[in-house]
Amino acid sequence: MTGLLFQVFVYLCAAVVAVPLAKRLGLGSVLGYLIAGIVIGPLLGLVGSETQGIQHIAEFGVVMMLFLVGLELEPRSLWNMRGRLLGLGGLQVAVTIVLVMAASMALGQPWSVSLAIGLVFSLSSTAIVLQTLNEKGLMKSVGGQSGFSVLLFQDIAVIPMLALIPLLALPELAQHASDAVAGAEHHGAEMSLVTGLVGWQIALVNIAAVAAVVAGGHFLTRPLFRYIAAAKLREIFTAAALLLVVSIAFLMTLVGLSPALGTFLAGVVLANSEFRHELESDIEPFKGLLLGLFFITVGAGINFTLLFDNLWFVLGLTVGLILLKAAVLFCLSVLFSMRWADRWLFTLALAQAGEFGFVLLSFTTKNAVIPPQVADLLLLVVALSMLLTPALFILFDRVILPRLDKGQQRPADEITEHGTAIIAGIGRFGQVINRVLKGNGYQTVVLDVSADMIDMFRKFGIQTYYGDASRPDLLNSAGLQEAKLLVVAIDDVDRAVEIVSHARRERPDIHIVARARNREHVYALYKAGANDIVRETFDSAVRASRYSLEAFGVHPHEAEKLVTVYVDHDRDAIRRLARLYDPDLPITENQPYMKLMKEIQAETDAALSSHTPDVHDRVKRAWLPPGSHPDEFD
Amino acid sequence: MKSGQVPAEQGKVVRPDQRILVLFAHPGQRYSRANRDLSKAASGVDNVTLIDLYALYPRFKINIEVEQQRLLDHDVIVFQFPLLWYSVPALLKEWQDLVLEYGFAYGEGGDKLAGKCFTCVVTTGGPEEFYRVGGRNNFPLRDLLAPIEQTASLCGLRFVPPYALFAAHSAAGDDRLPRHVDGYRRLLEALRDDRLDMEAAEQMRLLSAETLPMRRTAQTGVKR
């Protein structure tokens, strides 16, 4: 127990110290995690061989990340990407494999080993690249999108690679390997549904599994989540979200597919679902932590003894690899006629080897394809190239972009898919606002906690998402950072105040329109930072009183002026009373407040009374015959 | 319905039944005896539709379609208002701005009102001698109403000189108001029955209860 706690302490401590520091220095969080890993691993020796085991858990962060990426990507946009996915991705993988293989053969490796090395090095790091692109907000740029297409293709390409590698086995290593496999089987073989099946059967099982994920995601998740949402237990929803990701990953591993690919597909299927934002914000923290852990283990796993023994050789290989991959990427970016900024981003972002390289390397040694001593060196190259990636991003940010900016105008930022208005609560109040905004062509993202309500609105074709808007993370995933307007239209008095104060903290410049229950609520919302506060029943009560006056025969224009006087007095009263309002004291016990309220009531009554002999009274002032006195007419 | 020839020898009045629309605009009706009495008189005349614009649109949200249809449904259009700052009350100006649309009242295809009759029924605070060159208000009332006259002209409306009551506030105290109100009733009836002597009227600067030029029988040729 103490051992475990110590481990957790060391990892968390390293992350908490190193990551904010790295971000402050402008290095990005990924480099922060990597450095933290180096410090606690090779440098201080606080963690050791167990990093391998932890890395397997941490790789789950990559799986979750792809799930989240899928959630952001509707099936239609995935289909639109197909050209870049196959063209860019396919060419990148194929050309890199061939060139790396050639280089390796030139260095004297046999062809089969060279091909395996080509496979390992053709992959880039999804984890580092996506994390960094998201952090820098470059995901939507053409360079970012192209990079993402290539990464996605690589994740798919891992599957045939895993099938190909055993065929490359070296006879002289086979004996050693079978010993290792025998050793591994002692620990209990991995569960699998496809052992002992021939090729076409495996293919059938694979297709069935993917179909199950797509169909299940489409038909089963909604009723399931609606059922869970009805229970109104937040942690159970989180548990269900985790269960979804874990079960898909499990199914994919069972049939020998990439778990990252499976969850990505599930994400795409759920991208249109009303639970999208809720799922996003539930998975997000787990993904962040696991991914961080993954980067730390990469840093901690670097074998410094081996590195220093072969320092120049390994460095040379690493730099050579990066140059080669960058050259391939650059040619592709020219071929696909990207702009200069996108070209450099695409080239530098994907020039490293990736975490799947670790997986492939351990697989190759197990299958007697690459001799272990070579594999150890290659492991160092992969880790070092990943370590250098943040430096390449810094190069892009600090050196390349400023120069390009001088020469050419940067293309305008693409409009994000997030709405320009977030409406929290789609009850009777929020509905009207949503219809008026949508009717006039403004984008809205609607959040509500009632699954029934959402269901109904979806039937009317109104995009509504399930989620408690008072959760900061959910508000963020609904696009708080980009939105122009937040409308808080929920029933719950306290939560409305929470939402307003959170949004105001995050976005000092956003405009907030809030629905208030009563005067006290107005005061609280004002203090929380709402711009426009609307008492939910005030305006309708004013209208009702206007009709009542008209029913007594008051001329409608006169009635309008009378209620306007009342509204003005009331607004003024609220402003004056707000200064005396004390949130810790019930209003009836707040003596100064009660006193002022009575005074104001008397003032309002006097102003409304038609017997005030004041020519400049607000009502009578509107129009008077010259030289007359209002009293004459009463 | 078309106003036809009325055989004089029958000796009784056959109504050509011109339909009259009175658009009444007054933002402070509870202070106005004159306009209240005038409205009451107007609403008592057959074939007159009296619209209190400030009652119908207290928040100035004018329904353009309804207002245009109302114009199409009548043959004579009357603006009844107190002169405020030498012009119509704000809502009546808003009404003109919105309802007299291009393509409806003027411009290409804007002949929907052409041939109808138009007049103003105006009350003023100041006495008649103020409305003279060199007087306190420097302009004759008819000159001050030139924008409305030209508006009518652009819309192809036949402009009948304004029916005016000066010093309306003091008129309520003497017998000028009842006489003016009665004249208003007679004016509306004459317009309805097509008995106003248009040629004679058009020679006058203003109309008053004492100077209404009437014919015994209906005219011909007044277009709908």
Side-chain angles (χ1 to χ4, degrees), chain A residues 81-95 142-143 145-151 153-154 328-329 331-336 338 346 350:
Chain A
M81 275 173 52
R82 65 194 185 280
R84 265 188 296 197
L85 190 68
L86 295 177
L88 266 181
L91 281 174
Q92 187 271 335
V93 171
V95 175
V142 173
Q145 284 291 301
S146 307
F148 173 69
S149 313
V150 171
L151 290 169
F153 183 85
Q154 291 176 353
V328 172
L329 291 164
C331 292
L332 284 177
S333 73
V334 174
L335 194 64
F336 279 74
M338 295 180 200
F346 180 69
L350 297 175

Side-chain angles (χ1 to χ4, degrees), chain A residues 34-62:
Chain A
L34 289 171
I35 292 170
I38 294 175
V39 170
I40 61 169
L43 224 59
L44 296 180
L46 291 174
V47 293
S49 55
E50 79 287 348
T51 48
Q52 290 291 321
I54 291 174
Q55 194 158 11
H56 284 305
I57 304 169
E59 271 166 16
F60 209 71
V62 182

